[in-house]
Amino acid sequence: MVLNYIWIGFFVVAFIVAIFLYLFTGDTEVFKRIIDSTFDASKMAVMDVALPLTGVMTLWLGLMNIGEKAGAVNFLARIVGPFFNRLFPDIPKNHPASGQLLMNFSANMLGLDNAATPLGLKAMNSLQELNLNKETASNAQIMFLVLNTSGLTLIPISIIAQRAILGAANPTDVFIPILIATVVSSLVGLIYVAFKQKINLADPVILAWLCGIIAFIGGIILLFDKMPKERVETISKVASNLILLIIIIGFIVGALIKKVNAYEAFIDGAKEGFSTMIKVIPYLVGMLVGIAVFRASGAMDYLIDGLAWCFKAAGLNTDFVPALPTAFMKPLSGSGARAMMIESMSKYGADSFVGRLSCLFQGAADTTFYIVALYFGSVGIKRTRYAIQGGLIADLAGVVTAVIIAYLFFG
């Protein structure tokens, strides 16, 4: 229901803004821009998102099926079982979904988008099998989605690389601020959903795992704090790809040990890739077109200008306002937010306050509406309950933290 109102809101606001521009500014091109955006966005949803993802989905769903037949996924489920049994109480003990969730979270933390998405879709499908009401998001699905939208990433290698391309003196100086912002975003999302689902976060097992995760992230911060950019990039790329290779080889070796026909298992799992993406395409087209119409009408610009006026009227420092387009675009479109980040760095300088803050916004959270459309659309969820609210609250926490951290580090 919430997704329905938001989607309709994109079109209504775009129409009102377009009429205003036509009547009061004489902008005769606004209607053409909006209509063109619908065709461009629908084409992008299929050609640039769904079709490329189909191949990746086919590969990783095939590999995941090998891992399940070889027992590797169940092994991971037993490792994280004590933690996930409390965080996802609706998932039976040692269920394969726990291992799939762990693999998705790990891929996201390493910034492995190509692997994280199919692993996440596989996990969502397993959670849907446990869901008693197939059109309504379950508690476990909501927790999983909100943790995904919070966008916890250990090393934002793409942001660092883009800063280097645009001539930043020290491209890695945003590493620690981004990590702090994304950790806060994830914790706020977790706390919100735990409160809604009455999960006891004071449970000793949950506390131990959370403290361990935070300690691990703290170790990453200490390790990479003073490390040269080139070395950070090298370690990140090697470690990320090596972990993926180990997973693939581990699945195949496990299949050999268990005497599983790995190739047949791969084919059986890979068949799900195409059918899954067919289900997702309508959701992607609908959401991306709504977002594109909202942007093309100029509504985003008016929103940012209005907020700038409010902050200035309240006597607040408005140095952060020019970076807000990245923050507002991130929940809507990852590529759009990346373009906003690059534009900010190009206009104000990669080492400017605005340029750095736009990087923090880009790394603080993930694309909430895209993830909702993709993950829930893949299993036919129509009633999202409080999943979108949880994702947006996590996004807001990341944005607020990014602003505070930017003033502390770069202000």
Side-chain angles (χ1 to χ4, degrees), residues 176-187:
I176 292 177
I178 287 176
L179 192 53
I180 294 172
T182 190
V183 167
V184 171
S185 174
S186 298
L187 288 176

Side-chain angles (χ1 to χ4, degrees), residues 60-61 63-69 72-78 80 84 88 91 94-108 115-130 144 148 251 272 375:
W60 277 97
L61 290 182
L63 292 172
M64 281 292 293
N65 197 47
I66 296 175
E68 289 180 9
K69 293 283 182 23
V73 175
N74 285 329
F75 174 74
L76 292 174
R78 287 194 295 272
V80 298
F84 278 9
F88 299 88
I91 300 178
N94 299 328
H95 191 278
S98 295
Q100 294 161 4
L101 291 173
L102 176 62
M103 293 181 67
N104 170 255
F105 291 145
S106 300
N108 274 324
T117 300
L119 293 174
L121 288 169
K122 179 65 174 178
M124 183 61 74
N125 187 66
S126 294
L127 294 178
Q128 181 70 349
E129 293 175 1
L130 300 172
F144 173 53
N148 260 273
F251 284 177
E272 299 177 23
Y375 281 21

Side-chain angles (χ1 to χ4, degrees), residues 61-364:
L61 290 182
L63 292 172
M64 281 292 293
N65 197 47
I66 296 175
E68 289 180 9
K69 293 283 182 23
V73 175
N74 285 329
F75 174 74
L76 292 174
R78 287 194 295 272
I79 293 176
V80 298
F83 179 48
F84 278 9
N85 289 341
R86 290 162 174 79
L87 209 58
F88 299 88
D90 296 336
I91 300 178
K93 291 184 177 181
N94 299 328
H95 191 278
S98 295
Q100 294 161 4
L101 291 173
L102 176 62
M103 293 181 67
N104 170 255
F105 291 145
S106 300
N108 274 324
M109 291 174 70
L110 291 169
L112 304 172
D113 295 337
N114 285 340
T117 300
L119 293 174
L121 288 169
K122 179 65 174 178
M124 183 61 74
N125 187 66
S126 294
L127 294 178
Q128 181 70 349
E129 293 175 1
L130 300 172
N131 187 6
L132 299 179
N133 192 342
K134 300 302 182 183
E135 293 189 353
T136 301
S138 67
N139 285 352
Q141 287 173 321
I142 293 173
M143 175 66 83
F144 173 53
L145 186 130
V146 171
L147 291 178
N148 260 273
T149 61
S150 63
L152 180 60
T153 302
L154 291 181
I155 305 175
I157 190 64
S158 62
I159 296 175
I160 293 173
Q162 192 62 59
R163 285 179 53 74
I165 292 171
L166 293 176
N170 182 13
T172 60
D173 59 7
V174 297
F175 164 64
I176 292 177
I178 287 176
L179 192 53
I180 294 172
T182 190
V183 167
V184 171
S185 174
S186 298
L187 288 176
V188 168
L190 173 62
I191 292 169
Y192 173 79
V193 177
F195 173 79
K196 296 287 286 187
Q197 297 181 3
K198 296 180 172 56
I199 295 173
N200 179 21
L201 292 180
D203 182 280
V205 174
I206 293 180
L207 283 178
W209 271 85
L210 290 179
C211 289
I213 293 171
I214 292 173
F216 175 72
I217 292 173
I220 295 291
I221 291 175
L222 293 175
L223 177 64
F224 290 111
D225 186 17
K226 303 299 182 182
M227 192 175 290
K229 172 188 72 73
E230 294 79 9
R231 194 172 180 188
V232 170
E233 291 185 5
T234 300
I235 292 177
S236 175
K237 290 177 182 178
V238 171
S240 299
N241 290 297
L242 180 60
I243 289 172
L244 275 184
L245 182 59
I246 290 173
I247 290 173
I248 295 172
I249 297 300
F251 284 177
I252 294 174
V253 170
L256 290 174
I257 294 173
K258 289 287 189 73
K259 296 183 177 174
V260 172
N261 189 321
Y263 184 71
E264 286 187 5
F266 175 84
I267 297 299
D268 289 340
K271 290 177 182 178
E272 299 177 23
F274 186 76
S275 60
T276 299
M277 292 313 303
I278 290 295
K279 296 176 186 176
V280 167
I281 287 175
Y283 294 89
L284 284 179
V285 171
M287 184 54 63
L288 292 179
V289 166
I291 293 168
V293 165
F294 184 78
R295 288 181 60 190
S297 69
M300 177 69 76
D301 296 331
Y302 280 106
L303 176 62
I304 293 167
D305 291 342
L307 286 173
W309 183 88
C310 292
F311 291 132
K312 188 174 181 179
L316 298 176
N317 185 312
T318 58
D319 290 347
F320 68 95
V321 171
L324 284 179
T326 305
F328 283 118
M329 189 54 62
K330 191 58 192 279
L332 304 175
S333 167
S335 59
R338 188 179 302 108
M340 295 292 187
M341 176 190 72
I342 294 171
E343 182 182 2
S344 295
M345 286 194 287
S346 300
K347 181 177 181 179
Y348 296 94
D351 289 329
S352 67
F353 180 80
V354 172
R356 285 167 165 153
L357 179 56
S358 64
C359 294
L360 268 61
F361 286 150
Q362 174 71 0

